[in-house]
Amino acid sequence: MNTISSLLNEDWHERYRRIANLNIRSSIYDLTNRCNLRCKGCFFFSSGEHIVTEEMDIEKWEHFIDKEKARGVNLAILIGGEPTLCMDRLEAFYKRLPTYCATNGLIKLSRDKFPDMMVGISLWGGGEDEKVLRGKDTFAVSSKNYEGDPYAYYLYTVTPRQVGKIEPVIKRIADVGLKVHLQLLSNDESVDGFYWRQGELDDLRLEMDEMLDHYPQTIISSKYYHEVITTGMMLGRRFGWQECPSVTESLDTRKPPVRRLIHFYRWAADLKTIHRCCTSATRDCSTCKDGAAHMSWIMVNKREHMNTTRDMQNWTEVYEMFAKLYRLIPW
Ligand code: SF4
Ligand code: SF4
């Protein structure tokens, strides 16, 4: 059997060492059922997962977070709805756990209050696509709120209409001194013209690779991630329910058990309901393009990448990318 030392030279081995002991135990929390946008294709609202009674008592949130910490969670990923509508809950997490906030960027987080909280700002393409899908060009606002912020980056959801046109978006982001991570639209509300065809995915993979070569200081990504997310394939295996690592632990009844995120849960804003996975339970797993799930899929399959040096380097790069997105290692 190959060992890490036999596969990686000294430089790569050093990179591997930086991420090997991170021992990430993440879970996802719907911080609120409310949002200041209603995007077409939002998995949260289209699935009905927002229909729970939101817990309003901040002390109950604090107690809940303490219990989550005791359960072993060391990275809280806050989604929604729009988390910045609930600053007291954000603060309760931030004071207790390394915390990441996924936001549409329309409300500015106070850096006095949250000096190093990681912020991922959603962006659904260029201005025109944003107007069609989200009702407004959010970049115009979010880029002013977060310009040059060292703890914020854009989470750019590429749509099929964006293929061949992503460079201007990357440039806009670079020009405001921010970084960007790329993921793909899953079209959860079947909006016409936003379905993926394989030819578009093949073109997009090449385009993302090219952008990474041209903007290595701006894009947080890896070519192997591009390959896996656009083909849905990893080492001859196809992504889907039988492979997905991002399933809430207590709802994971798959037999035989699959490699998965340890102790991962996704909690609703009533602090009682648990959701199936990191995205909506109504989504068809066979067409799911969730970027985090694909990334985690690679990460939990380390042993399978220990056949060749290239595979192990690919695995290391994807793990580094994940660690950078949460600033667990420097950019
Ligand atoms: S900003 Fe996010 S949570 Fe709000 S509607 Fe859009 S996708 Fe959904
Ligand atoms: S919808 Fe996606 S993230 Fe959720 S279980 Fe299916 S494959 Fe996994």
Side-chain angles (χ1 to χ4, degrees):
M1 160 131 183
N2 289 322
T3 61
I4 301 293
S5 322
S6 69
L7 290 167
L8 299 181
N9 68 19
E10 197 38 49
D11 285 353
W12 276 98
H13 204 165
E14 190 47 42
R15 288 171 66 171
Y16 170 80
R17 274 191 212 103
R18 279 200 316 168
I19 44 108
N21 296 321
L22 287 175
N23 198 21
I24 303 161
R25 297 279 181 271
S26 62
S27 279
I28 298 182
Y29 306 89
D30 298 348
L31 210 66
T32 174
N33 298 331
R34 291 160 285 148
C35 188
N36 46 2
L37 286 178
R38 177 58 178 94
C39 310
K40 289 181 195 156
C42 167
F43 74 78
F44 186 60
F45 291 108
S46 63
S47 65
E49 288 183 349
H50 62 296
I51 306 171
V52 298
T53 306
E54 192 169 321
E55 178 55 64
M56 303 305 276
D57 182 343
I58 189 64
E59 284 184 14
K60 292 206 173 133
W61 279 89
E62 288 166 350
H63 181 60
F64 169 82
I65 302 162
D66 288 337
K67 274 186 17 202
E68 284 295 280
K69 195 172 172 182
R71 192 169 68 77
V73 173
N74 60 15
L75 176 61
I77 299 171
L78 308 185
I79 62 170
E82 173 50 46
T84 60
L85 295 174
C86 302
M87 291 294 180
D88 55 345
R89 296 175 202 169
L90 266 178
E91 198 173 357
F93 272 98
Y94 180 67
K95 282 184 172 161
R96 289 167 173 78
L97 280 171
T99 299
Y100 169 90
C101 173
T103 174
N104 55 37
L106 298 180
I107 298 172
K108 187 177 181 173
L109 273 177
S110 158
R111 283 306 186 192
D112 292 335
K113 228 175 190 176
F114 305 101
D116 58 359
M117 185 162 74
M118 283 308 293
V119 174
I121 311 162
S122 57
L123 182 69
W124 293 26
E128 284 315 305
D129 272 1
E130 280 245 312
K131 280 183 200 155
V132 173
L133 293 171
R134 314 185 84 188
K136 70 193 294 181
D137 176 4
T138 63
F139 184 86
V141 180
S142 60
S143 60
K144 285 198 179 69
N145 284 341
Y146 289 97
E147 182 166 2
D149 188 319
Y151 293 98
Y153 64 86
Y154 276 101
L155 217 43
Y156 174 11
T157 300
V158 182
T159 73
R161 287 198 191 171
Q162 288 278 302
V163 178
K165 299 184 205 153
I166 66 177
E167 184 162 16
V169 182
I170 307 281
K171 248 187 121 306
R172 269 173 111 190
I173 294 170
D175 289 346
V176 293
L178 290 172
K179 297 192 187 291
V180 58
H181 174 67
L182 304 163
Q183 54 182 16
L184 274 58
L185 185 79
S186 284
N187 200 13
D188 287 325
E189 286 185 292
S190 309
V191 184
D192 262 357
F194 288 90
Y195 289 109
W196 287 104
R197 290 191 293 261
Q198 191 53 49
E200 288 165 338
L201 290 165
D202 296 342
D203 290 346
L204 179 64
R205 175 180 168 189
L206 295 176
E207 191 180 1
M208 291 197 294
D209 285 355
E210 200 183 324
M211 288 302 103
L212 185 57
D213 287 338
H214 287 183
Y215 299 91
Q217 300 306 321
T218 299
I219 301 178
I220 306 166
S221 203
S222 92
K223 290 185 181 175
Y224 186 49
Y225 165 72
H226 299 165
E227 176 189 329
V228 172
I229 191 125
T230 55
T231 62
M233 299 294 292
M234 177 187 75
L235 303 174
R237 286 153 52 184
R238 180 165 292 286
F239 185 74
W241 170 249
Q242 277 310 326
E243 293 279 343
C244 181
S246 306
V247 175
T248 287
E249 196 172 56
S250 64
L251 300 180
D252 192 351
T253 53
R254 292 171 292 183
K255 297 270 182 298
V258 301
R259 290 194 197 283
R260 48 161 296 118
L261 296 176
I262 296 167
H263 301 333
F264 173 82
Y265 272 66
R266 177 165 155 244
W267 290 95
D270 62 357
L271 306 183
K272 296 184 186 94
T273 305
I274 42 177
H275 296 307
R276 177 185 71 172
C277 66
C278 61
T279 181
S280 76
T282 52
R283 182 179 288 181
D284 177 357
C285 296
S286 66
T287 56
C288 174
K289 297 271 178 288
D290 189 89
H294 281 78
M295 223 185 300
S296 303
W297 185 38
I298 296 166
M299 288 161 64
V300 299
N301 281 288
K302 178 171 112 178
R303 209 172 301 157
E304 287 69 14
H305 287 83
M306 288 180 65
N307 284 331
T308 69
T309 293
R310 188 60 252 172
D311 286 347
M312 197 58 214
Q313 289 172 341
N314 283 340
W315 182 90
T316 305
E317 277 185 347
V318 169
Y319 210 115
E320 282 179 332
M321 173 178 75
F322 182 90
K324 284 178 184 172
L325 291 174
Y326 296 99
R327 281 305 280 271
L328 304 171
I329 60 173
W331 280 338

